[in-house]
Amino acid sequence: MRKQKIPGLSLAIIRNGRVDILKSYGLANVEHRVPVKPETVFQSGSIGKQFTAAAVMILVEEGKISLDDKITKFFPDAPASWNNITVRHLLTQTSGMGDYPPEVDLRREYTEDEYFEYFKKAPLSFAPGAKWDYSNAGYATLGFLIRKVTGKYYGEFLQERIFRPLGMTTARVISEADIVPNRAAGYRLVQGALKNQEWVSPSTQFNG
């Protein structure tokens, strides 16, 4: 924590399905000097992509999606460059879609349709399956795919099919509007100094 200037964290070691060690260190909110505790809710960021992937795999198990389905099956108005992108490519970061298109302003509010249109207009970085490249746009597209197949917002689907069945009572999709008890503040390092996290519009965080 000292070396990387991490303000606070919780640590659990689980053996044979039981919590063996549970410790909390540092501060959940530096300005208000609120200590981290086991109940602290941290923003997971892109670690949450594993749940998007798990939601897609539930739909695969139910026969509603195949890993080898072309995504144009679900988005017929997609550009021709997407013709060979499969669900598997999106899951494995090999679609060529890359990061958010430069035209996307992460501080601006978008409707889902407006947001998705920017992805469809952006050129691919490489042919689908040719190589690996971390893709926020690809995982946001998986979020749109979940809605297309289920008719539900992907966060609602996660609550119904993953979080509630597993007893993950504090797990949730990020919301700045909701009151979230024990929510930790977010921080970043700027030239070695701790700063509050940059503000990002909620609409750019609602998928994947």
Side-chain angles (χ1 to χ4, degrees):
M1 289 176 66
R2 282 193 296 268
K3 184 177 180 179
Q4 297 189 34
K5 299 188 179 179
I6 297 169
L9 61 84
S10 279
L11 171 68
I13 296 176
I14 299 172
R15 290 195 178 106
N16 300 319
R18 294 186 178 184
V19 177
D20 194 48
I21 296 174
L22 179 60
K23 298 284 187 180
S24 297
Y25 305 91
L27 298 172
N29 187 295
V30 175
E31 290 175 308
H32 297 291
R33 312 305 291 174
V34 178
V36 174
K37 54 187 178 180
E39 296 80 14
T40 298
V41 177
F42 294 95
Q43 183 176 325
S44 66
S46 285
I47 293 173
K49 284 182 170 65
Q50 64 185 303
F51 295 111
T52 303
V56 171
M57 293 308 297
I58 288 172
L59 296 174
V60 170
E61 288 182 339
E62 293 177 347
K64 296 175 181 175
I65 294 175
S66 166
L67 290 175
D68 295 318
D69 279 341
K70 304 288 179 62
I71 63 172
T72 49
K73 173 182 176 180
F74 307 98
F75 305 112
D77 62 339
S81 60
W82 289 19
N83 286 347
N84 292 319
I85 297 177
T86 65
V87 174
R88 189 189 306 272
H89 288 139
L90 293 179
L91 285 169
T92 58
Q93 318 265 23
T94 57
S95 68
M97 292 177 71
D99 206 346
Y100 300 116
E103 295 80 11
V104 171
D105 180 358
L106 296 179
R107 292 176 175 268
R108 180 189 152 189
E109 290 290 345
Y110 298 94
T111 66
E112 286 196 27
D113 288 341
E114 288 173 338
Y115 196 38
F116 196 34
E117 280 302 312
Y118 281 104
F119 297 167
K120 289 190 284 188
K121 292 175 182 176
L124 297 183
S125 300
F126 52 83
K131 58 182 181 178
W132 184 94
D133 185 37
Y134 186 81
S135 179
N136 280 314
Y139 263 73
T141 300
L142 288 172
F144 292 121
L145 176 63
I146 291 167
R147 185 190 284 279
K148 192 80 170 181
V149 173
T150 68
K152 297 178 180 179
Y153 168 52
Y154 100 108
E156 181 184 354
F157 187 80
L158 292 184
Q159 284 287 350
E160 289 182 3
R161 301 300 303 276
I162 297 177
F163 298 154
R164 288 190 197 126
L166 292 175
M168 300 172 66
T169 56
T170 62
R172 55 183 298 120
V173 172
I174 188 170
S175 168
E176 291 192 353
D178 291 350
I179 304 299
V180 181
N182 301 308
R183 187 194 325 227
Y187 300 97
R188 59 196 170 104
L189 284 177
V190 178
Q191 296 180 346
L194 195 69
K195 301 289 184 181
N196 287 311
Q197 67 180 2
E198 291 186 301
W199 186 82
V200 175
S201 77
S203 70
T204 61
Q205 302 180 67
F206 59 17
N207 268 313

